[in-house]
């Protein structure tokens, strides 16, 4: 089954404790992206990747890091999480490097709570 | 600054009625306008999308109307069903960057 898998689905942690949210897709997609969803703000793009070793900032990259060492994986790293990063996070992928013109397939989300 | 403005925030429609959600944008560089549907506990899923060289696109009960000069686009759901109850997001993109609206929570009453 074609899918985007995120782990963990839920995480409660404390300020300053480094964490990684993993994202993996099995569709051989070139483009991958991370979003955060907050009430009243919709989804906002954090980072995206057009291919292995190629990443770029989205609209709200502050406080986040990403890496793309393999085509299928695109982890989101919070080096020193803060309470304002409490949110629902989504990973997405699409077939083409021109991700903006292709349908994106989303994971089911990771709910992060940072105390 | 919200790149894509969406309204209304919530919408209640009777079964069989028409649901209309509106979005507006400012950046004329946007060249792809998708709509996503999201159910609770799930990620958004592409519903329908349009490019700016087309004024209307229809897929089943779902239609996008696009007004390039007004920089507005809307989603029309005909014969709305209770199963359509979900949150709907419009979006706009250029290059590899995506901008989403704030979402509309649609409730279809049986």
């Amino acid at each position: 089954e074609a899918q985007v898998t995120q782990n963990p689905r839920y995480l409660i942690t404390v300020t300053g404790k480094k964490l990684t949210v993993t994202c993996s897709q099995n569709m051989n997609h070139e483009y991958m992206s991370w979003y955060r969803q907050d009430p009243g703000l919709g989804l906002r793009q954090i980072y995206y990747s057009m291919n292995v070793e190629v990443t770029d900032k989205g609209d709200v990259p502050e406080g986040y890091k990403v890496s793309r060492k393999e085509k299928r994986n695109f982890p989101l790293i919070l080096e020193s999480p803060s309470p304002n990063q409490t949110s629902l996070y989504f990973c997405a992928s699409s077939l083409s490097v021109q991700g903006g013109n292709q349908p994106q397939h989303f994971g089911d989300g990771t709910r992060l709570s940072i105390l | 600054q919200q790149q894509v403005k969406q309204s209304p925030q919530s919408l209640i429609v009777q079964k069989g009625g028409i649901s209309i959600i509106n979005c507006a944008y400012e950046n004329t560089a946007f060249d792809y306008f998708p709509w996503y549907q999201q159910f609770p506990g799930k990620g958004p899923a592409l519903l329908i999308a349009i490019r700016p060289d087309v004024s209307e696109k229809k897929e089943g009960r779902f239609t996008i109307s696009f007004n390039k000069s007004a920089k507005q686009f809307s989603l029309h759901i005909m014969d709305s069903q209770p199963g359509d109850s979900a949150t709907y997001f419009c979006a706009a993109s250029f290059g590899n960057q995506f901008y989403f609206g704030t979402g509309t929570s649609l409730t279809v009453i049986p």
Side-chain angles (χ1 to χ4, degrees):
Chain A
E1 179 190 353
Q3 59 187 359
V4 177
T5 303
Q6 296 178 225
N7 281 295
R9 292 292 312 278
Y10 305 91
L11 179 63
I12 301 174
T13 187
V14 295
T15 299
K17 186 176 181 181
K18 181 180 178 180
L19 68 91
T20 299
V21 184
T22 64
C23 174
S24 181
Q25 51 92 5
N26 63 0
M27 296 168 280
N28 202 35
H29 284 173
E30 292 182 334
Y31 179 91
M32 297 185 75
S33 185
W34 276 103
Y35 299 86
R36 61 178 290 174
Q37 183 177 0
D38 301 288
L41 296 176
L43 289 96
R44 293 179 292 167
Q45 191 173 35
I46 303 171
Y47 269 95
Y48 62 90
S49 169
M50 291 168 284
N51 214 327
V52 175
E53 303 292 1
V54 182
T55 64
D56 208 346
K57 296 177 181 178
D59 205 25
V60 289
E62 296 79 18
Y64 304 96
K65 284 177 59 177
V66 292
S67 69
R68 188 93 181 271
K69 293 183 170 55
E70 304 167 282
K71 197 172 186 179
R72 64 182 293 132
N73 296 322
F74 190 44
L76 178 70
I77 303 157
L78 284 71
E79 294 266 359
S80 182
S82 62
N84 64 11
Q85 293 177 298
T86 292
S87 186
L88 179 58
Y89 291 84
F90 288 100
C91 180
S93 71
S94 66
L95 182 60
S96 167
V97 293
Q98 296 298 324
N101 282 315
Q102 298 289 327
Q104 293 190 76
H105 300 260
F106 283 80
D108 284 338
T110 294
R111 187 167 291 280
L112 284 183
S113 294
I114 300 165
L115 307 176
Chain B
Q1 181 184 349
Q2 196 72 30
Q3 296 263 0
V4 180
K5 295 181 180 177
Q6 183 172 347
S7 64
Q9 185 175 357
S10 62
L11 182 61
I12 300 174
V13 173
Q14 293 276 0
K15 179 182 174 181
I18 302 173
S19 303
I20 302 174
I21 304 170
N22 301 300
C23 286
Y25 64 97
E26 286 297 325
N27 190 341
T28 55
F30 289 141
D31 58 4
Y32 180 65
F33 300 88
W35 284 88
Y36 282 82
Q37 179 188 55
Q38 184 181 29
F39 293 105
K42 294 293 186 181
L46 180 69
L47 192 61
I48 187 172
I50 198 167
R51 301 186 196 281
D53 54 346
V54 177
S55 61
E56 184 176 282
K57 183 173 182 180
K58 184 175 181 179
E59 290 184 0
R61 296 184 294 110
F62 302 93
T63 300
I64 298 179
S65 297
F66 187 83
N67 186 330
K68 190 174 182 177
S69 60
K71 290 184 281 187
Q72 295 175 347
F73 59 110
S74 60
L75 175 69
H76 295 235
I77 305 174
M78 311 299 288
D79 187 26
S80 298
Q81 299 296 312
D84 296 331
S85 297
T87 299
Y88 293 81
F89 292 96
C90 62
S93 76
F94 69 92
N96 292 293
Q97 294 191 301
F98 261 86
Y99 298 91
F100 282 79
T102 51
T104 296
S105 177
L106 171 65
T107 301
V108 181
I109 299 172

